Amino acid sequence: MTDALLPAAPQPLEKENDGYFRKGCNPLAQTGRSKLQNQRAALNQQILKAVRMRTGAENLLKAATNHKVREQVRLELSFVNSNLQLLKEELEGLNISVGVYQSTEETFTIPLIPLGLKETKDVDFSVILKDFILEHYGEDSYLYEDEIADLMDLRQACRTPSRDEAGVELLMSYFLQLGFVESRFFPPTRQMGILFTWYDSLTGVPVSQQNLLLEKASILFNIGALYTQIGTRCNRKTRAGLESAVDAFQRAAGVLNHLKETFTHTPSYDMSPAMLNVLVRMMLAQAQESVFEKICLPGIQNEFFMLVKVAQEAAKVGEVYQQLHTAMSQVPVKENIPYSWASLACVKAHHYGALAHYFVATLLIDHQLKPGTDEDHQEKCLSQLYDHMPEGMTPLATLKNAHQRRQLGKSHLRKAIAHHEESVREVSLCKKLRNIELLQEVLAVAHQRSQVKYTQHQEDDDLLNLIDAADIISKTEQEVEIILPQFSKVTVTDFFQKLGPLSVFSANKRWTPPRSIHFTAEEGDLGFTLRGNSPVQVHFLDPYSSAALAGAKEGDYIVSIQTVDCKWLTVSEVMKLLKSFGEDDIEMKVVSLLDPTSSMHNKCATYSVGMQKTYSMICLAIDDDDDDKTDKTKKISKKLSFLSWGTNKNRQKSASTLCLPSVGVARPQVKKKLPSPFSLLNNDSSLY
């Protein structure tokens, strides 16, 4: 089952040296995954409508004074809340629709959980970017129509990525391209007026902001989600497929962990630090489960040391799923995580715990010490299975005493059966899990196997057996770990590189309008030298030279000579071009950087200025820190952005990931130097 209807090879653009980007899947393709994603989009729209109705009803309830009106509003509000709950349950059903994302190869294994992609609305960059190019860069914006179209096409393609490495590269390319766009067009002192809307993957609640960082964080989330879908799609009947699944889940955990550490104040439930921490745990647990399946793939031989190894591997999987279930049961994650996910984590914790006890029981009952057996090695392995042996037993004595071995083995079987019964009970309590037939079949077979084993060795005096099997120490030969995203392996060309090098021509710098300098080289002497990288600067200007008298200044950047664009030319190339004119008249256009401390322009018909506008359907919380400030002090708190992404001050001030700052008059903000997009990726701390 594949959604990649277009070739995975990169498709070059019509223009040379302009980079490339991959195309997404056909959004109209009637594959199982596309149908599921379309249902998710439709549900998101219904949830948005219901949330708006609830907000209106709550406002009306506060404003109404008539008793009959208030009763009617309460009735309507009850209906809307019920409808929202039904929509949430329907969305949970999509999140647990694991069958669509599994491998097409039939395997008798418990399904793995993928993450659904976040949905978004269309965004039109054209008007805003054209105005900014004309206003800030002073260039003809119509010359950049193709570049703006390429950016919008790339964003549209990212809404339907193919479920393979080409899809991951597509999303990473757009993420890196956003770094260039942010530096080119998003000054730190004002909002651009472009509204980005993304829907929560788990709750379907929309979040809208005029902040490019919401776009970047959502793309990162989708990269991690796509890795989970790749992992669940791998063929779990082959060693290579299981190794690919382990790698995919580790990479998903790495991307989600990078998102958690980089964007610390996200306005969406699915990207809150607490939720991301749980999702990272879930991916690592599924990677550990795939490691166990890889070890068991060749078959489990009924041999003492092999059974010890497999038992500890199963105990490891059960342990990580038990930790995951505990994390899912904590507030506030518990309120938003799909109930079926938490139930499945509990089911797997009991299932793999039961397998561990079954394997230990098998090695104790089926294997007896014989002459020539390595007693020391077996004693060491048995002692490493437990923190402590049951009371009155020692490893060597138990190995030599057939009765003790059998009694201890049967106590492990009883514990295995108890775990199996608990896993079956958990499935019966969750409607979504009851619909997964493969899950019930796997649990039933494992349960029956333990019961048959116990029945074969059951004796009349088993009720007098008071030995309590100790917990098995978990151990694994392959400890799964987070694999950080490798953005450096993805080559991206700045769509708007014609504007000039980012070191000078960026949104956080200002310069004078281009000035035309008409001069001649007298006897081959230009009257100045050049320095710097692209773009080059005028240096050591002779004040009596033709260029100086024409208006050139030392430190000016040369942007063009005659009709040749010089923004990307080196010193030697510009000097060669200047000398090629001989003593003819030369027209050179230059710009000068303005004082970085000067305020930037903040009036334009296409831009939102002043108070930042944040639209969120999640919550509106007022910061209580300002309550103690009286009118006498006349101190007004500095307004914080709803997305205070990774700022250390904001991290200390706001413990909640879902809150709006109190309304206040913004103080003049100190201008910060905007780093390049690639320097951001190498920083282990927060981006901003």
Side-chain angles (χ1 to χ4, degrees):
M1 183 191 308
T2 177
D3 301 313
L5 303 181
L6 298 175
Q11 302 296 322
L13 297 174
E14 296 179 359
K15 300 170 291 183
E16 294 184 357
N17 302 323
D18 212 10
Y20 73 88
F21 57 84
R22 300 178 185 272
K23 293 182 179 180
C25 299
N26 184 355
L28 301 180
Q30 293 301 304
T31 60
R33 177 168 164 261
S34 64
K35 290 179 180 178
L36 206 63
Q37 205 65 28
N38 289 336
Q39 292 177 32
R40 181 184 296 274
L43 268 179
N44 288 336
Q45 294 298 325
Q46 294 179 47
I47 291 174
L48 174 59
K49 180 180 178 181
V51 168
R52 286 175 174 171
M53 290 180 64
R54 184 176 68 177
T55 303
E58 289 173 346
N59 292 336
L60 181 58
L61 186 62
K62 293 177 181 178
T65 57
N66 185 282
H67 179 71
K68 290 185 177 180
V69 173
R70 291 177 63 86
E71 287 298 324
Q72 185 67 28
V73 172
R74 285 196 184 96
L75 182 62
E76 188 66 25
L77 192 57
S78 175
F79 171 76
V80 172
N81 286 330
S82 299
N83 188 37
L84 262 177
Q85 184 62 30
L86 291 175
L87 292 174
K88 183 179 178 181
E89 291 178 1
E90 193 172 346
L91 184 61
E92 180 185 344
L94 295 183
N95 286 326
I96 199 60
S97 298
V98 293
V100 175
Y101 296 96
Q102 306 302 309
S103 170
T104 54
E105 301 291 335
E106 293 185 2
T107 56
F108 195 69
T109 53
I110 299 178
L112 301 171
I113 299 176
L115 293 178
L117 299 180
K118 291 173 71 71
E119 287 288 333
T120 183
K121 288 184 177 180
D122 292 334
V123 173
D124 187 1
F125 289 101
S126 57
V127 176
I128 303 296
L129 297 193
K130 281 182 180 180
D131 285 353
F132 193 81
I133 290 172
L134 179 62
E135 174 194 358
H136 187 76
Y137 293 97
E139 296 196 24
D140 187 354
S141 58
Y142 289 98
L143 298 177
Y144 293 88
E145 285 186 341
D146 290 342
E147 286 77 4
I148 295 174
D150 290 340
L151 177 64
M152 295 175 64
D153 288 343
L154 179 57
R155 185 183 192 275
Q156 186 65 25
C158 286
R159 299 177 67 176
T160 56
S162 57
R163 200 158 36 124
D164 50 26
E165 288 298 327
V168 173
E169 185 176 342
L170 170 69
L171 292 176
M172 284 190 173
S173 299
Y174 181 57
F175 178 78
L176 295 176
Q177 194 67 236
L178 287 175
F180 290 118
V181 172
E182 183 177 24
S183 299
R184 296 281 190 191
F185 301 106
F186 286 79
T189 57
R190 74 180 186 190
Q191 296 292 324
M192 288 295 293
I194 301 178
L195 191 66
F196 299 99
T197 300
W198 287 86
Y199 292 88
D200 192 296
S201 177
L202 303 179
T203 65
V205 176
V207 175
S208 301
Q209 275 202 327
Q210 297 181 33
N211 197 322
L212 191 66
L213 294 177
L214 174 61
E215 181 92 345
K216 294 174 71 175
S218 300
I219 291 297
L220 266 183
F221 183 92
N222 277 358
I223 293 174
L226 193 59
Y227 270 127
T228 67
Q229 296 181 12
I230 293 173
T232 56
R233 186 187 186 186
C234 293
N235 184 1
R236 295 159 69 186
K237 294 178 67 175
T238 64
R239 182 178 181 85
L242 287 169
E243 288 177 348
S244 298
V246 173
D247 180 73
F249 285 121
Q250 289 181 124
R251 292 184 183 279
V255 172
L256 296 174
N257 189 68
H258 178 71
L259 172 59
K260 180 187 69 174
E261 295 181 350
T262 304
F263 303 96
T264 56
H265 287 73
T266 49
S268 182
Y269 284 129
D270 56 356
M271 296 191 295
S272 64
M275 182 63 73
L276 288 174
N277 182 59
V278 168
L279 295 180
V280 169
R281 283 176 176 267
M282 186 169 75
M283 297 309 121
L284 292 179
Q286 295 190 138
Q288 195 68 57
E289 184 179 1
S290 300
V291 170
F292 174 77
E293 291 180 7
K294 183 177 68 172
I295 293 173
C296 299
L297 185 64
I300 303 174
Q301 299 177 358
N302 194 356
E303 188 267 331
F304 186 91
F305 300 111
M306 180 64 182
L307 290 172
V308 170
K309 176 183 176 181
V310 175
Q312 291 189 304
E313 289 283 354
K316 180 66 176 179
V317 180
E319 180 183 70
V320 294
Y321 271 113
Q322 184 59 50
Q323 294 171 354
L324 173 62
H325 180 256
T326 302
M328 287 180 169
S329 303
Q330 303 298 319
V331 177
V333 175
K334 175 179 161 182
E335 306 298 329
N336 302 298
I337 201 79
Y339 173 71
S340 51
W341 288 9
S343 297
L344 186 58
C346 184
V347 167
K348 289 188 176 184
H350 286 293
H351 173 70
Y352 285 102
L355 291 183
H357 285 285
Y358 173 80
F359 292 132
V360 172
T362 302
L363 70 89
L364 288 171
I365 294 175
D366 292 358
H367 297 275
Q368 305 293 334
L369 278 179
K370 298 178 181 178
T373 304
D374 189 350
E375 294 183 7
D376 293 339
H377 194 187
Q378 286 197 12
E379 179 187 7
K380 182 180 179 181
C381 289
L382 185 62
S383 63
Q384 291 177 349
L385 273 176
Y386 309 106
D387 279 330
H388 59 277
M389 289 289 293
E391 186 177 356
M393 291 186 174
T394 61
L396 185 58
T398 302
L399 289 173
K400 291 182 177 180
N401 189 320
H403 178 70
Q404 279 191 4
R405 289 181 67 139
R406 188 164 53 253
Q407 291 296 94
L408 182 58
K410 285 192 287 187
S411 68
H412 278 287
L413 282 176
R414 286 196 295 272
K415 209 158 190 177
I417 292 172
H419 279 296
H420 282 309
E421 290 174 347
E422 187 63 24
S423 65
V424 172
R425 188 186 72 85
E426 282 289 336
V427 171
S428 66
L429 294 177
C430 181
K431 178 181 177 182
K432 307 298 181 184
L433 296 185
R434 290 200 302 268
N435 295 332
I436 304 178
E437 295 181 0
L438 180 60
L439 173 62
Q440 297 198 58
E441 290 177 8
V442 172
L443 297 180
V445 169
H447 187 196
Q448 183 180 8
R449 181 176 58 185
S450 295
Q451 285 182 322
V452 169
K453 186 79 171 177
Y454 184 76
T455 303
Q456 290 174 348
H457 298 86
Q458 191 173 14
E459 298 175 353
D460 295 337
D461 61 345
D462 281 347
L463 292 176
L464 302 177
N465 182 9
L466 302 179
I467 298 177
D468 185 20
D471 291 334
I472 300 167
I473 297 177
S474 62
K475 185 179 178 181
T476 179
E477 67 176 22
Q478 182 181 345
E479 193 76 40
V480 296
E481 56 186 10
I482 289 172
I483 299 180
L484 296 177
Q486 299 174 330
F487 296 106
S488 58
K489 291 188 176 181
V490 180
T491 304
V492 177
T493 302
D494 182 8
F495 284 155
F496 300 93
Q497 61 180 349
K498 289 193 302 183
L499 291 172
L502 264 175
S503 58
V504 176
F505 300 99
S506 62
N508 66 333
K509 291 187 178 181
R510 294 192 63 209
W511 50 89
T512 61
R515 308 191 311 275
S516 293
I517 308 297
H518 294 269
F519 68 100
T520 57
E522 301 172 355
E523 298 179 357
D525 183 14
L526 296 172
F528 58 87
T529 59
L530 303 175
R531 71 171 182 180
N533 298 320
S534 306
V536 299
Q537 290 180 275
V538 175
H539 191 49
F540 289 134
L541 177 64
D542 183 355
Y544 301 104
S545 65
S546 173
L549 296 175
K553 299 177 183 178
E554 189 164 336
D556 282 349
Y557 289 94
I558 301 176
V559 295
S560 68
I561 299 174
Q562 301 295 77
T563 58
V564 180
D565 192 316
C566 300
K567 294 174 185 174
W568 288 97
L569 298 185
T570 62
V571 170
S572 59
E573 291 171 334
V574 173
M575 186 61 71
K576 181 179 179 181
L577 180 61
L578 287 172
K579 290 187 175 181
S580 67
F581 293 101
E583 296 186 358
D584 295 339
D585 182 67
I586 302 174
E587 181 185 4
M588 180 175 70
K589 288 188 176 181
V590 298
V591 296
S592 302
L593 280 181
L594 297 177
D595 185 359
T597 60
S598 63
S599 61
M600 295 185 67
H601 44 268
N602 57 4
K603 291 184 179 180
C604 179
T606 58
Y607 302 120
S608 297
V609 295
M611 186 69 182
Q612 295 188 20
K613 296 181 180 179
T614 303
Y615 306 89
S616 175
M617 307 306 295
I618 297 178
C619 67
L620 297 175
I622 303 299
D623 192 348
D624 295 333
D625 293 344
D626 295 336
D627 292 345
D628 298 334
K629 299 181 181 179
T630 62
D631 294 336
K632 293 181 180 180
T633 59
K634 295 184 179 180
K635 292 182 179 179
I636 300 176
S637 62
K638 182 177 180 180
K639 175 174 65 62
L640 300 177
S641 170
F642 184 35
L643 276 181
S644 302
W645 305 84
T647 307
N648 290 332
K649 181 188 296 184
N650 297 335
R651 187 181 304 176
Q652 297 171 359
K653 188 171 184 179
S654 176
S656 171
T657 61
L658 300 169
C659 65
L660 279 176
S662 57
V663 177
V665 178
R667 294 177 180 173
Q669 298 183 0
V670 179
K671 194 171 187 61
K672 295 181 180 179
K673 183 177 180 182
L674 187 66
S676 66
F678 293 107
S679 65
L680 301 178
L681 302 176
N682 298 323
N683 191 355
D684 293 334
S685 62
S686 302
L687 291 188
Y688 291 87

